[in-house]
Amino acid sequence: MTEQGVRWTADQVLALAPDDASRRAGSKLGTPGPWSGAGFDGRAVWGLCRGSGSTPYRTVVDTTCPAYSCSCPSRKFPCKHGLGLLLLWAGDPDGAAIPAAGEAPDWAETWLAGRRARAEAARTAPDAGPADPEAARRRAERRAARITAGAQELEQRLADLLRGGLASAEQAGYGLWEETAARMVDAQAPGLAGRVRELGAIPGSGPGWPVRLLEECALTHLLDRAWLSADRLPGPLAATVRSRVGLSAPPEGPPVRDHWLVLAQYDTADSRLTTRRIWLHGRGSGRTALLLSFGAAGRAPQLALPVGAVLDAELRPHTSGGGLRAELVEQFAPPAPAGPPPEGTPVGAALDTYGRALREDPWLDAWPVTLTDVVPARAEYGWQLADSAPYGAAPGAAPEREAIPLTRSAQQQPGLWRLVALSGGAPLRVFGEIGHQGFTPLAAWSPDAPGETVPLV
């Protein structure tokens, strides 16, 4: 059981919000006024929130995971009541609004006990045993044949585009791309479908779009050809190709237990699916891991972790995807409130790391890196992160400072101004994703408060 005084910060709570609207609504409920019957027992916090009806909403949060339950009709996780309760708890270290309690009320304890029972059943459940290998082989062959047909059709679509000229892409509009993407879904190749939708969004996206479209067409063509020749590729590259077209593989690596710092959490969504990405860094192993969770039909994914907290947990990595993606196997203690940032590298070393990763996976969109001693600075083309001191150079050559531009999307987000304000012209440590379009900052640490993770998304 966690200590009664260990509580999250308001920033960590707000980082759990599924969207800006929930963040604003939850902030309004983070005061004692609407709450009654609140309590905290070291593993959960609960309370009754007055709403528009005669019956208050019953809200409980398992702070060890975290997980949420509320009697309100919202489909968001956490809902505004869960966020408000956590904000009230985070700002109440003396226990005036949410006192320590020996046990939870019956309605909260029923939900908590059910969670514990399900977790124990999953942990002790016997293996189902191997599936019929012959049936599995036939299913895999049928799906591979459908993906091959989809890849061949996409090759024809790309050939028609180049034959007619890139200008035709802007005239045709998005409808033809969406139709092609739907056919890739029918072919059970969601990875190809996602790339087609990205292609359809490029025409008319701003100056230089034909260059970007040609680049992405080339990468899509490379993936098509790699799939059609997968049987002649080296094993690791063939596994990467299967993953990129959308063939998921279960986690197979050995489990890694560590104290994992939650670096960042953010969502991306389309009309069908919301994908949540949570980046972790192992204090002992030095590994960076990516947890993915999904919510269908506009629903927020249920897995949410407080940015800046530290988890004593065991992860099982996937063998594909550069070894970054992992699954959360077991969490052994509630999240600790803070932890030191990962060691960083200068810009030049980070670019070298990205280059090596790109050599293993040519379709890599981004790679996680932590930059150390960098300063946000304006340049002719927009904002960039520049070394505050020169990076090492070849013998006999004068070392030079290096810089990396921020992506177009990062330069349009409020997190940029938070980063600039946090720096104030002084060097920072910044975690983010580096890719061929630049760098996207996701979290930062000031030298004045190195244990405080500042989320930028």
Side-chain angles (χ1 to χ4, degrees):
M1 185 171 293
T2 188
E3 299 177 6
Q4 300 292 339
V6 176
R7 304 191 182 217
W8 305 337
T9 67
D11 281 343
Q12 289 174 332
V13 173
L14 292 174
L16 299 172
D19 50 43
D20 288 337
S22 298
R23 191 175 291 111
R24 291 191 296 270
S27 297
K28 296 178 181 178
L29 294 175
T31 60
W35 294 97
S36 62
F40 173 59
D41 69 354
R43 60 184 173 86
V45 58
W46 58 85
L48 302 173
C49 186
R50 184 175 66 251
S52 57
S54 59
T55 303
Y57 296 121
R58 295 177 171 183
T59 307
V60 56
V61 179
D62 181 347
T63 57
T64 64
C65 293
Y68 319 92
S69 175
C70 186
S71 59
C72 76
S74 174
R75 298 194 302 169
K76 297 179 180 180
F77 294 95
C79 66
K80 64 180 182 180
H81 305 102
L83 289 170
L85 181 62
L86 286 174
L87 286 171
L88 182 61
W89 170 65
D92 184 41
D94 298 328
I98 303 183
E103 59 183 24
D106 290 344
W107 58 269
E109 182 58 37
T110 298
W111 180 75
L112 292 168
R115 280 186 52 78
R116 290 195 297 270
R118 289 190 295 272
E120 180 64 19
R123 188 180 66 84
T124 59
D127 293 335
D132 182 352
E134 180 60 26
R137 184 188 62 81
R138 290 195 297 268
R139 287 194 299 270
E141 288 179 348
R142 289 195 294 269
R143 183 174 183 184
R146 285 192 288 268
I147 295 175
T148 296
Q152 291 170 338
E153 180 179 342
L154 182 53
E155 281 293 277
Q156 185 61 51
R157 171 77 177 92
L158 295 175
D160 292 344
L161 171 64
L162 296 179
R163 188 178 301 111
L166 294 180
S168 63
E170 190 173 28
Q171 298 167 0
Y174 188 75
L176 186 57
W177 292 107
E178 182 58 36
E179 179 183 343
T180 304
R183 295 179 72 85
M184 295 304 103
V185 172
D186 293 340
Q188 293 186 293
L192 292 179
R195 287 197 163 270
V196 170
R197 292 192 180 99
E198 291 176 1
L199 291 175
I202 294 176
S205 61
W209 71 261
V211 174
R212 295 193 295 275
L213 179 59
L214 185 60
E215 291 173 346
E216 296 303 325
C217 284
L219 284 171
T220 303
H221 167 71
L222 182 63
L223 181 57
D224 280 341
R225 300 312 303 174
W227 169 261
L228 296 173
S229 306
D231 57 339
R232 299 195 296 272
L233 297 177
L237 182 56
T240 297
V241 170
R242 287 193 293 270
S243 173
R244 288 299 178 185
V245 300
L247 288 175
S248 59
E252 298 176 347
V256 179
R257 180 175 179 179
D258 206 338
H259 288 84
W260 300 92
L261 172 65
V262 184
L263 296 170
Q265 173 179 289
Y266 68 95
D267 295 350
T268 57
D270 56 29
S271 59
R272 299 169 179 80
L273 192 69
T274 298
T275 302
R276 175 164 295 163
R277 291 170 169 81
I278 303 177
W279 285 108
L280 307 175
H281 177 77
R283 182 184 300 172
S285 64
R287 299 182 63 148
T288 301
L290 174 64
L291 304 182
L292 294 180
S293 58
F294 305 93
R299 301 189 64 172
Q302 293 202 26
L303 179 61
L305 298 174
V307 174
V310 177
L311 308 180
D312 179 6
E314 186 175 78
L315 306 184
R316 187 180 298 277
H318 289 242
T319 54
S320 60
L324 291 176
R325 187 180 174 187
E327 302 291 336
L328 180 60
V329 178
E330 185 174 359
Q331 186 176 323
F332 300 98
E343 293 293 329
T345 64
V347 171
L351 290 169
D352 291 342
T353 300
Y354 171 60
R356 289 191 295 270
L358 196 62
R359 182 177 59 195
E360 303 297 327
D361 182 357
W363 305 278
L364 188 66
D365 294 321
W367 188 259
V369 296
T370 301
L371 304 176
T372 189
D373 293 330
V374 291
V375 179
R378 285 283 294 178
E380 180 181 355
Y381 45 79
W383 284 91
Q384 62 181 6
L385 289 176
D387 289 326
S388 62
Y391 179 50
E400 296 182 356
R401 294 174 61 193
E402 297 191 65
I404 184 169
L406 301 188
T407 59
R408 295 177 61 194
S409 60
Q411 299 195 45
Q412 298 169 358
Q413 299 298 321
L416 168 63
W417 304 111
R418 192 171 194 182
L419 177 66
V420 173
L422 183 67
S423 168
L428 298 171
R429 187 171 300 185
V430 183
F431 169 78
E433 297 173 350
I434 189 173
H436 65 282
Q437 296 181 355
F439 182 80
T440 300
L442 301 176
W445 298 265
S446 167
D448 298 331
E452 180 181 347
T453 305
V454 178
L456 302 175
V457 290

